[in-house]
Every structure is written in C-alpha cells, then in structure tokens.
Amino acid sequence: MKIRIKIVTLLNFLIIIFCNQTFAQNAVTKEILWTTDWSPNGKYIAIGGNVDTLKIYNSSNLKLYKSLLIKNTITRIKWHPTKNIIAVATQMSGDRSSIINIETNEKIELNAVSLDGARGIDWNYTGEYLAVTDNDGEILIFNIKGDLIRKFNNENTKTITAIDWHPKKDILITVSDKIRLFDINGNLLNSIKHRKEEIMILSVAWHNSGSFFVTGDYGDEKDKSLLQYWDENGKLLKCIDISKGEYRNLVWNPKGNSLATASDALRIWDIKGNLISEGYSKDYLWGISWNKQGDRIITSSMEENIILWNNKAERILAIE
C-alpha cells in the first residue's frame, strides 16, 4: 500500500514538473516582429509581425496607442509620407495587404495582390502611388484609394523580398535573387547579379540624393552577409561583410548622412560605407526606422523585442 502511494505521489510530482515546464516554455515563446515604421509627424511608431496585430505606439514613451487586428503575418509596413495612413503587406494571412487610415480605422484591401501574400511595399516620393511586390513575382502599382493602376512581372522571379522607390523619380528597385530596376510602366532598366553565389537579397534603400543605393543580403553557409553600395547605374562601389546576421532591413536618416541597418546588431554607417556606431542586440533585429529629426531609431526583433535608440546606437528605452 505504501509503495503504491509513493508511486502515485511520484507520478503526480512528475506531472506537476512537466506541466510547469510546458507552461514556462509557452510563457517565454516569442514571435518575430518583422517590421516597423515611424509616422511622418513623429508621434507614432507602427510595428507588425507574427502577432496577429498591427500595433501603434506613442513614440515618446512606447506606450500602446492602438491595436488593429491583422492575421499572421505582417511582413512590411510603410507610413504615407504626409498622411496618417499606413500601407501593410501580409503573407500566410487571411487578411490581404491593405491601406489603413489610422484615425478612422478604415481599411482598403488590395485584392489584386496574390493570395500567397507579399513582402515588399512602398509609397513613391509624392505619396501618389503605392507599389507592392507579391509572392507571385508581380509588381503592382496602386493609387492612394487602392485602385490598381498597373501590374507587371519581375523578370519571371517568384519571390520579391523588398522594393524601394527612387526619391525623386518614378523608378523602382526590387530585390530577390538579383537587383532589378524598373520604370513605372514596367520597363526593365537594369538587372544586376550581386554576387557569384545564389544568395537572396533581403533589403534595399535608395540614398536621399538618388545617386546611389544600398542592398543587404541573407548570407551564405559561412554566415557572410553582404552590405553593398551601388551607384545609380548598378556599378558596385563598396562591399562590407562584417555582419554575422542577415540584413533584414536598412534605412537612411532624413538628412541622408547615416544609414541604419538591422542584422545581428544595430549598425550606423556613413554615405561611403564607413561604420560610425554599433549597438548590441541579444537577438537578430528585423525592423528599423528613423524619426523625422534623425536623432532616434526604433528597431523590432526576432524575439519580439522593441528598442528605442539614439543616433549613436545607444539604448534609450525597450520593451523586452
């Protein structure tokens, strides 16, 4: 009898331990925050990822201002250059990519975008056009009302990971297996193979002048991820390989004298590709954005961490 009681007690003890371990594991499970963007008025920061929610924070204290339900996954968000509306790209989601008015919560679904979703989204420099690159390899141009203006193919490539408009012209850069430049009518202007290996490019950003652009790739089996500077005609200017993590996103500050990159650390570079500052991160950074003044950077990460930094890559505030 005593032996049976001891066995039952031991089993109960083991069950309790198992349940507690399972609960602890579930409690620390975190999702990827793919993307972030700062509002043009500087008041708000938008963040999205695998969390079924587009979250809007007050930029001064990172207090939650508003949450909007959007099913997994928000891959990219981009605030309109002058209006309080956000373009949202999604994949693996029951919700289409869309344009959302943050003040009224009005949502315009972009139904022409592939059901397989999209990775790239960006407003042109005037905010008149919105470009979306979907997972069928299509580039779609919409107006601000969500009407489809034009659609063309990215040289028969399925996955397009990012897109960026020229800051002064209606010219687009898309990145995937190659760098490709198009005009707004869909004419291919240039196609550039960025390295000998078959490596996906994840991010691209025109410099504010429009005279050059920068790309960041996924990296190879040796964890060599390249940050590359190119002139506007596609000539390689500089290649940097110090990062141990893929370059998920990169963005220039408003003055155009500093480039911030999200990878295994926050790094800030000058226009010639010299490293200015570096900020430690305990996990890989994915989303990144500057404020209008260029003195603050927001990042989102692989383990659902949100960090506010100054322009020297020093931490100011975090939600971890």
Side-chain angles (χ1 to χ4, degrees):
M1 186 68 175
K2 289 182 180 179
I3 294 175
R4 183 180 177 185
I5 291 172
K6 287 182 179 180
I7 292 173
V8 172
T9 303
L10 178 60
L11 288 173
N12 287 337
F13 178 72
L14 292 173
I15 289 170
I16 290 169
I17 291 175
F18 175 78
C19 290
N20 286 339
Q21 287 178 337
T22 302
F23 176 81
Q25 289 171 353
N26 291 337
V28 298
T29 298
K30 293 190 174 183
E31 302 293 347
I32 299 171
L33 296 179
W34 282 59
T35 178
T36 183
D37 200 25
W38 214 302
S39 68
N41 63 15
K43 292 182 179 180
Y44 305 112
I45 294 166
I47 293 180
N50 294 355
V51 291
D52 287 330
T53 311
L54 173 64
K55 294 185 177 181
I56 313 296
Y57 294 88
N58 285 296
S59 62
S60 59
N61 54 18
L62 294 186
K63 297 294 184 183
L64 188 63
Y65 166 70
K66 181 178 288 191
S67 294
L68 298 172
L69 179 63
I70 299 178
K71 297 175 184 177
N72 278 350
T73 297
I74 298 174
T75 56
R76 184 65 66 103
I77 50 181
K78 194 70 175 181
W79 223 294
H80 188 275
T82 59
K83 300 181 184 296
N84 209 15
I85 60 176
I86 297 178
V88 180
T90 61
Q91 69 178 14
M92 296 182 292
S93 171
D95 294 322
R96 292 287 189 101
S97 299
S98 58
I99 300 171
I100 300 175
N101 187 310
I102 298 304
E103 295 173 355
T104 65
N105 295 341
E106 179 188 4
K107 181 179 178 182
I108 302 171
E109 291 197 342
L110 306 175
N111 293 320
V113 176
S114 169
L115 288 171
D116 289 334
R119 293 277 295 272
I121 199 163
D122 193 30
W123 297 97
N124 75 331
Y125 65 101
T126 64
E128 182 182 2
Y129 300 115
L130 176 69
V132 181
T133 54
D134 70 20
N135 291 336
D136 281 344
E138 299 285 351
I139 302 166
L140 303 98
I141 311 294
F142 298 89
N143 63 20
I144 197 169
K145 296 180 180 179
D147 301 319
L148 181 64
I149 304 299
R150 191 165 293 108
K151 180 171 72 171
F152 49 93
N153 190 272
N154 190 62
E155 208 177 27
N156 297 316
T157 298
K158 288 288 284 185
T159 301
I160 308 172
T161 49
I163 188 169
D164 197 43
W165 286 90
H166 190 284
K168 298 178 181 179
K169 305 174 184 178
D170 283 330
I171 293 175
L172 298 154
I173 293 182
T174 67
V175 292
S176 52
D177 59 324
K178 293 181 180 179
I179 303 163
R180 296 175 176 88
L181 284 79
F182 297 89
D183 66 21
I184 195 171
N185 295 314
N187 298 308
L188 180 65
L189 305 177
N190 202 350
S191 180
I192 306 159
K193 187 172 176 58
H194 74 297
R195 57 192 292 182
K196 294 179 181 178
E197 304 89 348
E198 295 295 328
I199 306 296
M200 290 291 289
I201 310 168
L202 297 179
S203 52
V204 58
W206 279 103
H207 183 256
N208 307 34
S209 66
S211 61
F212 68 97
F213 60 90
V214 182
T215 60
D217 72 25
Y218 190 82
D220 56 23
E221 67 278 359
K222 298 179 181 179
D223 292 329
K224 181 188 285 187
S225 300
L226 299 184
L227 186 70
Q228 295 176 299
Y229 282 58
W230 308 83
D231 74 12
E232 60 183 324
N233 297 314
K235 179 184 177 182
L236 183 62
L237 302 174
K238 188 165 187 175
C239 188
I240 306 163
D241 66 354
I242 70 170
S243 176
K244 295 180 181 178
E246 64 270 17
Y247 287 97
R248 288 285 172 177
N249 281 291
L250 44 90
V251 61
W252 288 98
N253 70 347
K255 289 184 179 180
N257 59 1
S258 296
L259 176 74
T261 60
S263 57
D264 60 319
L266 167 62
R267 294 186 178 91
I268 302 175
W269 316 79
D270 68 14
I271 59 174
K272 294 183 179 181
N274 300 308
L275 183 62
I276 302 171
S277 304
E278 188 173 26
Y280 167 77
S281 174
K282 64 183 180 182
D283 66 323
Y284 282 7
L285 302 176
W286 280 46
I288 192 165
S289 183
W290 290 88
N291 68 347
K292 187 177 181 180
Q293 292 75 27
D295 60 355
R296 297 287 185 270
I297 299 168
I298 193 74
T299 61
S300 60
S301 82
M302 186 175 179
E303 295 184 3
E304 212 170 330
N305 298 315
I306 302 168
I307 304 174
L308 182 65
W309 315 73
N310 64 18
N311 57 5
K312 296 180 181 179
E314 298 167 335
R315 290 185 179 215
I316 298 173
L317 192 61
I319 301 176
E320 297 179 309

